[in-house]
Amino acid sequence: MTIKKRFLISYIGGIAIACLSLFSIICIVFYVTTGKIPSPGTVYKTFTQQRSLSPEEELAYIKLRGIAKSNPEQLLKPSGELKQTIQQFEAESLGVVVRKQEAIDYYSKDLVEKSLIAHFPKFDANNIETRGTIDNAGRLYRYMKFDFYFNDQVPGSLLVLMKESSFLEFMTKWGVLIIITILLVSIGGLLFLNHLLKKTIIRPLETLGSGMTEIRNGHLETSVTEPVKQTALEVKQLTDDFEKMREALISSTEEQVKLENNRKELVASISHDLKTPITSIIGYVEGLLDGVADSPEKQANYLKTIHTKALSLNELIEELFLYSKLDASAVPFHFERIDINEFLKHIIEEFQLQDNQVSLQLTNQEMTNSYVLADRMQLNRVFINLIENSLKFKHPNRSLSIAIDVSRKAERIMIQLSDNGQGISKEQLPYVFDHFYRGEEERPTHTGGSGLGLAIVKQIIEMHEGKVTIESDLHQGTTVTIYLKKA
């Protein structure tokens, strides 16, 4: 069964149960108190009969009943004090009617004689039923009746009437119509609620279901968001969550495709970079075996080349192993508080002892409070990789110069390493941190390197919760900026 039908049945059932419960309670109470099965007429009659008299009604009834008992003839033509008493009662919205036999001898001016004759209650000498309701020209009056005999033994009746309230009269006349109107309004309200339910719950859920079907069929671009302001909060939250899941699924799928492409590129790059030195080694070994190197000098040259290629191959394997461990978060980091100026001084001194082809300079050496939280060994690898990268791609017509600048930016330490090398083109700049990327013109292995240097730098800096960026102008130079947390 659909949600729409369930809600519809629940609405109708709720109304029906409430009505039946109310009607059952009324019937039980009425049957217990009167011993009769209730009907609209008997309910109203019982209600009026059991209602207490007002002080005015009780006073008028007692006085006039006393006169009817002692001197009933005065009631036929009230005069003197009796007339004043009746007028006083009439001024208090009471009516007085005196009947002798079947004729109305006296009635208050607001009453209609013909209607009184037609609806007058029956004579009851025992006065068992003294209360009730009478219709007079379309208006309802509650009455107290006293039946007696005149002096000539002719039966007579005295009525003291009180006009019913407009509400009770209105309910008595129009009750059925009101009930029908209430039922129609209830049905209209039910239809409106059903429409609102469909608009705010059913339709968004149907849209959500259609979106799920589309996603199941592989159409991830189908959005399930429908701009309905009155959508139920829970349904809206469900739709928003599903939309976020769809976007996450799209992102995950795109990431999966990207990872698959990267994997293919990685395999191709590894194959290429491993094959080149291995091919060279095989060629030189075969040359030695075939006797091509027929002199000690040639043999030594061949062996030196084989050794160089083997070292390059070993370096590639080590960097590849490090990259894979960093990518899998398998490298332990031991963070400590490091003075970055002293740290960089030590790197510059160590590098200049090994290689005099580069000019390294540290600026802002006097800056105080330049401490960072870092792993000393991994941070050392970062700057060695950057300096070696500058060496590999230095400008062929000028000597290499590298300037390292340290400054403070907000809660971070900013380190800039700038060289005057051959630079990187704008087309290649977005990809330099990708693994095995060296640019098309730099792809040949005469520069050495694995293409993993900057990718490893980025991974290490991100492990430090830092950030690395690069700026470059072709044939002008490159600037690498590193942001580290201040300790």
Side-chain angles (χ1 to χ4, degrees):
M1 187 181 292
T2 63
I3 295 178
K4 181 180 178 181
K5 288 184 178 179
R6 290 179 186 273
F7 274 105
L8 188 62
I9 291 172
S10 66
Y11 288 149
I12 296 174
I15 294 173
I17 290 172
C19 293
L20 288 174
S21 299
L22 183 61
F23 181 74
S24 300
I25 292 171
I26 293 173
C27 289
I28 291 170
V29 171
F30 194 88
Y31 184 77
V32 169
T33 55
T34 65
K36 298 179 181 179
I37 298 175
S39 65
T42 56
V43 169
Y44 181 75
K45 185 176 180 181
T46 303
F47 176 74
T48 55
Q49 286 179 344
Q50 294 181 354
R51 191 163 48 191
S52 300
L53 297 176
S54 66
E56 295 81 4
E57 290 175 294
E58 188 172 1
L59 177 61
Y61 180 67
I62 292 172
K63 279 190 174 184
L64 295 175
R65 186 184 61 181
I67 295 172
K69 287 180 179 180
S70 60
N71 190 7
E73 302 297 333
Q74 294 184 26
L75 296 173
L76 296 175
K77 292 183 180 181
S79 60
E81 185 178 350
L82 178 58
K83 186 176 181 180
Q84 292 179 358
T85 302
I86 292 175
Q87 288 175 350
Q88 182 180 354
F89 293 150
E90 290 174 344
E92 295 172 350
S93 300
L94 295 176
V96 178
V97 179
V98 179
R99 181 181 70 172
K100 185 176 182 180
Q101 199 70 30
E102 297 299 330
I104 304 298
D105 286 275
Y106 178 83
Y107 60 93
S108 298
K109 62 181 180 179
D110 292 332
L111 302 174
V112 178
E113 182 179 4
K114 290 182 178 180
S115 182
L116 288 173
I117 294 173
H119 298 99
F120 208 97
K122 294 180 180 180
F123 180 83
D124 179 14
N126 296 319
N127 287 301
I128 295 175
E129 293 186 6
T130 60
R131 297 187 187 185
T133 304
I134 187 173
D135 185 346
N136 185 251
R139 298 299 303 270
L140 294 177
Y141 290 83
R142 184 178 68 212
Y143 67 81
M144 285 75 67
K145 179 173 70 73
F146 179 70
D147 293 320
F148 58 93
Y149 288 97
F150 286 95
N151 294 335
D152 54 3
Q153 298 303 309
V154 175
S157 298
L158 170 68
L159 290 184
V160 176
L161 300 95
M162 169 69 80
K163 185 187 295 184
E164 282 285 15
S165 67
S166 299
F167 176 75
L168 289 175
E169 184 179 354
F170 177 79
M171 290 300 296
T172 303
K173 285 186 175 182
W174 306 101
V176 175
L177 183 59
I178 290 173
I179 292 172
I180 294 174
T181 304
I182 291 174
L183 288 175
L184 292 176
V185 170
S186 300
I187 293 172
L190 186 63
L191 294 175
F192 173 75
L193 289 174
N194 186 53
H195 169 73
L196 193 63
L197 174 69
K198 182 177 180 180
K199 183 179 180 181
T200 60
I201 297 179
I202 304 300
R203 193 176 297 162
L205 287 178
E206 289 175 348
T207 303
L208 186 60
S210 301
M212 289 180 178
T213 303
E214 292 294 326
I215 289 175
R216 184 185 63 191
N217 294 333
H219 303 145
L220 299 179
E221 68 281 357
T222 303
S223 176
V224 297
T225 303
E226 185 174 346
V228 179
K229 293 182 179 179
Q230 297 85 3
T231 301
L233 182 61
E234 294 83 355
V235 177
K236 185 177 181 180
Q237 184 64 44
L238 178 64
T239 304
D240 291 343
D241 290 342
F242 187 84
E243 184 67 14
K244 291 177 183 177
M245 184 195 71
R246 184 186 68 84
E247 293 173 357
L249 190 59
I250 292 174
S251 177
S252 176
T253 304
E254 292 174 349
E255 186 67 21
Q256 190 68 29
V257 172
K258 184 179 178 181
L259 288 174
E260 181 64 20
N261 292 334
N262 286 345
R263 186 189 66 80
K264 292 178 181 178
E265 291 176 6
L266 183 61
V267 171
S269 299
I270 293 173
S271 301
H272 178 275
D273 283 21
L274 288 177
K275 185 177 180 180
T276 303
I278 289 175
T279 302
S280 297
I281 291 172
I282 292 172
Y284 281 105
V285 170
E286 287 178 349
L288 289 172
L289 292 174
D290 293 340
V292 176
D294 52 2
S295 66
E297 291 80 9
K298 282 187 177 181
Q299 291 175 357
N301 213 11
Y302 273 41
L303 290 173
K304 184 178 179 181
T305 303
I306 291 171
H307 181 259
T308 302
K309 296 295 181 181
L311 289 177
S312 176
L313 183 61
N314 184 64
E315 181 184 351
L316 172 63
I317 293 172
E318 285 183 354
E319 288 200 343
L320 184 61
F321 182 63
L322 174 62
Y323 177 83
S324 63
K325 288 180 69 177
L326 287 170
D327 197 44
S329 301
V331 177
F333 279 73
H334 305 285
F335 294 96
E336 57 181 301
R337 193 168 182 263
I338 299 173
D339 187 332
I340 194 65
N341 277 323
E342 295 300 322
F343 179 80
L344 292 173
K345 285 180 186 178
H346 177 72
I347 290 179
I348 291 172
E349 291 172 0
E350 182 180 350
F351 206 92
Q352 285 179 334
L353 289 174
Q354 299 175 3
D355 196 328
N356 293 322
Q357 299 179 9
V358 58
S359 172
L360 284 166
Q361 183 179 4
L362 177 65
T363 60
N364 289 350
Q365 298 185 38
E366 304 302 323
M367 192 187 77
T368 59
N369 193 20
S370 56
Y371 289 92
V372 296
L373 195 64
D375 182 298
R376 187 179 295 273
M377 185 176 71
Q378 300 300 337
L379 195 60
N380 183 77
R381 188 187 302 276
V382 166
F383 288 103
I384 293 299
N385 279 6
L386 291 176
I387 294 171
E388 288 182 347
N389 206 62
S390 296
L391 277 169
K392 291 168 189 172
F393 300 101
K394 66 179 182 177
H395 198 282
N397 299 326
R398 56 175 177 260
S399 59
L400 180 64
S401 175
I402 300 176
I404 303 177
D405 179 79
V406 179
S407 60
R408 189 182 301 109
K409 191 169 185 180
E411 294 300 316
R412 292 182 178 268
I413 298 296
M414 185 175 70
I415 307 160
Q416 286 186 313
L417 190 146
S418 304
D419 65 29
N420 62 344
Q422 64 185 26
I424 306 169
S425 65
K426 292 183 179 180
E427 293 78 14
Q428 298 170 0
L429 200 60
Y431 309 104
V432 294
F433 288 112
D434 294 348
H435 52 250
F436 287 102
Y437 184 81
R438 288 198 296 252
E440 290 303 319
E441 64 268 23
E442 287 80 26
R443 188 69 199 169
T445 57
H446 70 273
T447 60
S450 61
L452 291 172
L454 288 179
I456 290 173
V457 166
K458 183 180 179 183
Q459 282 187 319
I460 292 175
I461 295 301
E462 287 178 350
M463 290 291 184
H464 284 75
E465 298 182 16
K467 181 183 177 182
V468 58
T469 61
I470 189 168
E471 298 176 359
S472 185
D473 291 322
L474 191 61
H475 308 304
Q476 299 297 321
T478 302
T479 299
V480 177
T481 305
I482 296 173
Y483 299 91
L484 293 174
K485 291 174 65 176
K486 188 170 65 174

